[in-house]
Amino acid sequence: MDLLDQMHRTAFLGAEFLTWMWYRSELQEAVFTLEEKLMGAEDAPPSFEVWFDDKLIVGSHLVDAQENHFKGGHPTSSLEARTALRLGKLATEAKLRIVRGTQEWTLAFKAANFSLGGIKVPAVLAKEDDEKFYERMFLLEQLDQMVRGLYGQFLRVRLSEEWDTTELPSIRDWVAGQE
């Protein structure tokens, strides 16, 4: 099997991951903790918040399936978004805000190809151009570590027996409003 076939066979994982983050964000009041230390946070626990911001798209990976677009306010708490989940749709794109301490990143996450776009990093404090560049790269690398860490957590659960016995039934209860 070539790489392209593998990518198509596992394309659903991005939407499952984004929907899982939505579920976990509500369940854990947006706080996530990684097992590994984040670069630049060696003295602090690697905890941060993940908030779903003012854009959410839910859809299905089936051919010709309709998408629902939600903009403004807090779309993840809307009745329409929950109804879309009940109909079997998954989060396919969202604007996320990640907050760690006083630092805040915003980004658009597209589940289909696991891409991050429209990234805004925390304010850069350096004065010199070279230092500004390196600080921005450092902040982007921290964001990459947080997203990869979250995906690693998701995969550990998704590929374990815990997914079928605990996590998936809990997600179904959350979707049904039986938290």
Side-chain angles (χ1 to χ4, degrees):
M1 175 183 320
D2 68 351
L3 180 60
L4 191 56
D5 287 337
Q6 282 183 309
M7 288 171 58
H8 287 298
R9 287 186 56 216
T10 58
F12 67 93
L13 282 174
E16 282 190 7
F17 169 58
L18 189 56
T19 305
W20 175 83
M21 273 201 313
W22 176 5
Y23 158 72
R24 281 283 171 188
S25 183
E26 287 192 11
L27 184 74
Q28 301 167 178
E29 298 179 3
V31 177
F32 289 85
T33 303
L34 300 180
E35 295 170 9
E36 57 276 355
K37 295 281 185 185
L38 292 172
M39 180 181 16
E42 289 80 12
D43 299 335
S47 294
F48 52 92
E49 300 169 8
V50 177
W51 298 95
F52 280 70
D53 224 347
D54 59 359
K55 180 183 177 185
L56 174 68
I57 299 174
V58 294
S60 174
H61 64 277
L62 302 175
V63 176
D64 296 330
Q66 291 182 341
E67 288 184 332
N68 299 95
H69 294 245
F70 303 97
K71 289 186 105 178
H74 192 50
T76 56
S77 62
S78 73
L79 179 60
E80 293 87 356
R82 284 300 178 94
T83 301
L85 287 177
R86 288 186 191 109
L87 294 173
K89 295 181 179 179
L90 298 174
T92 59
E93 187 175 335
K95 183 177 178 186
L96 302 175
R97 188 167 35 96
I98 298 176
V99 179
R100 189 184 67 164
T102 60
Q103 296 178 313
E104 182 176 306
W105 292 258
T106 60
L107 61 124
F109 180 88
K110 292 184 181 183
N113 55 5
F114 215 91
S115 67
L116 308 179
I119 298 171
K120 293 183 184 172
V121 297
V124 175
L125 303 174
K127 301 287 186 225
E128 299 295 321
D129 286 342
D130 286 350
E131 291 175 7
K132 284 181 184 180
F133 172 78
Y134 288 118
E135 187 174 348
R136 286 184 60 78
M137 291 301 105
F138 179 74
L139 292 168
L140 286 170
E141 194 163 348
Q142 286 182 332
L143 174 63
D144 181 64
Q145 281 186 301
M146 289 184 278
V147 172
R148 284 176 185 263
L150 287 173
Y151 191 59
Q153 276 186 3
F154 166 73
L155 285 179
R156 279 190 287 284
V157 173
R158 181 66 176 87
L159 298 173
S160 72
E161 290 179 18
E162 179 186 348
W163 180 257
D164 291 322
T165 60
T166 307
E167 197 78 0
L168 191 55
S170 181
I171 292 171
R172 287 183 177 139
D173 289 345
W174 168 74
V175 166
Q178 304 169 357
E179 300 158 64

